[in-house]
């Protein structure tokens, strides 16, 4: 239930917070609450990902992309995640989540998420997302600004794609 309140705060905040370009970052502040904890009394690993969902939602809303997707009858889905947990986050600790759009290819849009507490990196995640309409993937260049599509692919994205191709064969 608490995520609904956080989501409502993000949605309502998008009406009053400054608009973002695709070159900018969404920055959100959270505090780890008791319902965010696991049995080890630190933030649950699933909660990191849920908060990063909120970071993407904030970016999509404030960049105007959410509205464009709605007009197209499309929505965003996550097709893969790379997660690197660095440090545990304790109860009531303040955290800052930074979200940015780093790259887009012919199918995927890549968002990075950096979560920090007291200027220490606690988690780094990259989400590979796609725009879906009627069960079909929309090419990102039809939805997002051209400057994102024209960026050079970081080496790690190429490596991730290669690894994903190898890994997919294991699931057949």
């Amino acid at each position: 239930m608490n995520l609904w309140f956080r989501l409502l705060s993000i949605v309502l905040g998008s009406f009053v917070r400054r608009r973002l370009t695709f070159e900018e970052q969404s920055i959100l502040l959270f505090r780890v609450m008791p319902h965010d904890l696991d049995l080890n009394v630190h933030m649950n690993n699933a909660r990191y990902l849920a908060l990063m969902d909120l970071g993407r939602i904030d970016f999509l809303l404030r960049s105007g992309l959410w509205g464009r997707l709605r007009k197209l009858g499309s929505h965003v889905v996550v097709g893969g995640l790379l997660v690197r947990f660095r440090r545990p986050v304790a109860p009531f600790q303040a955290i800052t989540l930074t979200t940015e759009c780093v790259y887009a290819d012919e199918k995927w849009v890549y968002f990075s998420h950096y979560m920090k507490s007291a200027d220490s990196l606690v988690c780094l995640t990259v989400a590979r997302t796609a725009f879906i309409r009627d069960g079909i993937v929309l090419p990102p260049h039809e939805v997002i600004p051209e400057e994102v599509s024209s960026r050079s692919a970081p080496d790690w994205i190429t490596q991730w794609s290669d690894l994903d191709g190898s890994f997919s064969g294991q699931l057949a």
Side-chain angles (χ1 to χ4, degrees):
M1 185 60 161
N2 67 309
L3 284 176
W4 287 107
F5 293 121
R6 286 175 171 163
L7 174 62
L8 182 61
S9 173
I10 299 297
V11 171
L12 293 176
S14 72
F15 292 109
V16 296
R17 293 183 72 200
R18 184 178 60 77
R19 291 280 174 225
L20 296 175
T21 69
F22 271 77
E23 303 298 319
E24 295 179 298
Q25 300 171 329
S26 159
I27 299 174
L28 298 174
L29 306 174
F30 296 103
R31 186 162 301 275
V32 177
M33 302 307 290
H35 50 263
D36 296 323
L37 306 176
D38 62 15
L39 294 175
N40 295 319
V41 192
H42 60 244
M43 191 160 71
N44 180 300
N45 59 358
R47 186 64 77 199
Y48 286 88
L49 301 180
L51 293 179
M52 291 176 187
D53 283 342
L54 294 177
R56 281 191 307 282
I57 290 169
D58 182 62
F59 186 93
L60 295 170
L61 286 168
R62 292 178 52 215
S63 68
L65 184 57
W66 187 272
R68 265 185 273 169
L69 291 170
R70 291 288 142 216
K71 285 179 186 171
L72 291 169
S74 181
H75 61 279
V76 180
V77 297
V78 174
L81 294 164
L82 293 176
V83 182
R84 174 68 165 100
F85 298 104
R86 300 291 306 255
R87 290 176 180 74
V89 184
F92 304 107
Q93 199 168 346
I95 50 178
T96 302
L97 173 64
T98 302
T99 301
E100 65 182 320
C101 182
V102 292
Y103 179 70
D105 60 23
E106 64 280 346
K107 181 177 181 181
W108 304 108
V109 178
Y110 297 83
F111 288 92
S112 68
H113 303 280
Y114 299 87
M115 191 174 288
K116 291 183 176 183
S117 181
D119 291 328
S120 293
L121 183 65
V122 296
C123 186
L124 167 63
T125 302
V126 179
R128 183 172 64 186
T129 64
F131 306 134
I132 306 293
R133 181 177 58 203
D134 298 326
I136 299 170
V137 175
L138 286 177
H141 71 270
E142 292 183 13
V143 183
I144 62 174
E146 187 176 316
E147 64 265 14
V148 177
S149 310
S150 63
R151 293 178 187 162
S152 300
D155 289 339
W156 57 267
I157 288 180
T158 306
Q159 293 167 357
W160 185 6
S161 296
D162 293 345
L163 178 62
D164 191 54
S166 300
F167 186 66
S168 294
Q170 300 296 318
L171 301 175

